[in-house]
Amino acid sequence: MNKISRPDAGSTHRVVEPHILYFGTPVVLLSTVDADGAVNLAPISSAWALDRTVVLGLGPDGQTSRNLAAHPELVVNVPGPGLWRQVELLGGTTGRADAAHFVRDKFGHAGLTAQPAELVAPPRVVECPLQLEARVADLRADATGEFLVAEVQVLRVHAAESITVPGTDYVEPAAWSPLVYNFRHYFGLGPELGHSSRSRTPRTA
Ligand SMILES: Cc1cc2nc3c(=O)[nH]c(=O)nc-3n(C[C@H](O)[C@H](O)[C@H](O)COP(=O)(O)O)c2cc1C
């Protein structure tokens, strides 16, 4: 039987009201285009994957949301830890032409390089080791009405040679680290602790 403590039984935890609940999720850079084909690039940390679906949490007023509603294609570019300064720089900008912190050329602003995608209109970010070309399958308001939830289907995956297992389609976990947004601080991964029994790339040594 599980041991269940009484609420007042110890002092290991206390009730807190943190401003945010960013408990450590990888950052992605979404590239999108508007109806005229103008490119936008924005960092998002509310992103998770299930099979070939990626679910994204978006503020409704950003240019990224507008673009996805107008043109339902994107690239989910996944940066490594070395790009945290560029991510932080982009987070302070918007592609909304009517906003004070509007930046038309986000790639140039952050010193990043655009590369054409193969199946979708928005470009890929060369500096990101993983690039997922995707199409929006669903875009709706969340239960609170304050955010948008986008479900996107991944159509094609590009991985830098340097993070793949040579001669296979696998990403080498020892070579890859996401950029993790941890209560508004940026981290990479620490050393490997172990692997899942489902891993297709267990270490032999
Ligand atoms: C590390 C980081 C993570 C972010 N995560 C999100 C997110 O998950 N959803 C979101 O809507 N905005 C997020 N933002 C804020 C947007 O990047 C920001 O609002 C930006 O101005 C949107 O640009 P846009 O208007 O061109 O789309 C994040 C910013 C940073 C720096």
Side-chain angles (χ1 to χ4, degrees):
M1 197 171 112
N2 292 333
K3 271 170 64 177
I4 302 176
S5 320
R6 293 194 326 274
D8 60 351
S11 58
T12 56
H13 295 64
R14 64 189 175 87
V15 174
V16 295
E17 288 290 340
H19 285 292
I20 42 88
L21 292 173
Y22 301 153
F23 46 73
T25 41
V27 178
V28 297
L29 287 172
L30 300 187
S31 42
T32 56
V33 293
D34 70 11
D36 298 325
V39 173
N40 193 39
L41 186 65
I44 298 293
S45 59
S46 303
W48 51 270
L50 195 62
D51 198 7
R52 302 286 285 196
T53 299
V54 175
V55 183
L56 305 164
L58 302 167
D61 301 325
Q63 189 62 35
T64 300
S65 299
R66 294 177 179 195
N67 284 4
L68 290 177
H71 186 107
E73 293 182 339
L74 69 159
V75 181
V76 180
N77 301 278
V78 195
L83 291 180
W84 78 268
R85 285 190 175 81
Q86 288 86 337
V87 165
E88 177 64 10
L89 195 61
L90 287 170
T93 70
T94 178
R96 274 184 51 177
D98 58 347
H101 48 304
F102 169 60
V103 170
R104 189 181 305 278
D105 177 11
K106 300 260 198 104
F107 277 87
H109 184 71
L112 297 172
T113 316
Q115 171 184 37
E118 293 174 358
L119 302 175
V120 299
R124 299 181 277 152
V125 178
V126 171
E127 289 80 1
C128 290
L130 281 172
Q131 307 155 338
L132 317 180
E133 297 189 32
R135 180 171 294 128
V136 176
D138 190 42
L139 180 65
R140 63 178 182 277
D142 80 331
T144 70
E146 286 181 47
F147 295 97
L148 295 177
V149 176
E151 283 180 42
V152 309
Q153 292 298 123
V154 174
L155 306 174
R156 183 158 290 177
V157 178
H158 304 266
E161 284 286 356
S162 57
I163 63 159
T164 59
V165 178
T168 76
D169 285 335
Y170 296 124
V171 170
E172 168 53 75
W176 162 243
S177 170
L179 169 61
V180 175
Y181 201 40
N182 177 10
F183 288 95
R184 290 201 167 121
H185 291 240
Y186 297 100
F187 285 75
L189 293 185
E192 178 177 350
L193 303 174
H195 63 81
S196 155
S197 59
R198 298 177 180 198
S199 168
R200 305 276 179 92
T201 52
R203 271 176 203 275
T204 45

